[in-house]
Amino acid sequence: MDQAEHKAVDLNECMESTINIVWNELKYKATLKKEYGQLPLTLCYPQQLNQVFMNLLVNAAQAIEKQGEIIVRTWCDNGFINISVADTGSGIPAEHLTRIFEPFFTTKAVGKGTGLGLSIAYDIVTKKHHGEITATSEVGRGTTFVVRIPVVEEK
């Protein structure tokens, strides 16, 4: 991972640019709802966070078998920027939910996934941005990932 630029950005804009990049992966599987809140600028590694968002969006689309919905929400509270990506896909069984951030853990067919996407996302959020990433899921109903990044102001 390159030590890409560390700068103050609006994470709503980061999410928008990521959606534009992965739109072809999403548009045939899901309607996309965007519920963006007002966010302060925060010092971060935007390219790395875009990688996290891309991963969550593509996984959400892949979890939807035929047609579904992906809802992206952003909000700020208690000094944290929150970004949630929710899907109406197949959901993650409870016994897998505890392992999804482990390197090389995948439920995808052989050759379809490396099991590294969420592990890398976890490292970017927790180690590079001192945030947290959590997932809640219900089999047959969908999954919601929430990324919480502390607001860091420019000095």
Side-chain angles (χ1 to χ4, degrees), residues 49-145:
L49 288 177
N50 286 355
Q51 185 180 351
V52 171
F53 301 156
M54 182 180 304
N55 222 294
L56 296 179
L57 289 164
V58 169
N59 283 357
Q62 290 173 346
I64 295 169
E65 212 166 297
K66 292 195 171 58
Q67 258 315 115
E69 188 173 67
I70 297 172
I71 303 163
V72 176
R73 289 182 58 228
T74 64
W75 69 98
C76 189
D77 69 14
N78 299 326
F80 280 85
I81 293 171
N82 301 276
I83 302 102
S84 81
V85 176
D87 66 64
T88 58
S90 54
I92 302 167
E95 66 270 18
H96 293 177
L97 205 53
T98 57
R99 301 190 57 203
I100 56 173
F101 297 114
E102 289 177 18
F104 307 110
F105 179 77
T106 183
T107 57
K108 293 177 181 167
V110 174
K112 293 287 184 215
T114 60
L116 288 174
L118 288 174
S119 168
I120 290 168
Y122 183 87
D123 284 350
I124 289 170
V125 172
T126 61
K127 295 187 172 114
K128 299 271 194 237
H129 294 89
H130 310 290
E132 58 186 50
I133 180 170
T134 56
T136 54
S137 189
E138 199 178 323
V139 173
R141 296 192 52 116
T143 303
T144 302
F145 281 87

Side-chain angles (χ1 to χ4, degrees), residues 22-42:
V22 298
W23 182 241
N24 281 341
E25 290 267 344
L26 308 180
K27 66 182 178 186
Y28 300 113
K29 289 294 216 55
T31 52
L32 181 66
K33 267 194 187 159
K34 298 184 266 191
E35 301 172 4
Y36 294 159
Q38 284 289 112
L39 301 181
L41 297 182
T42 188

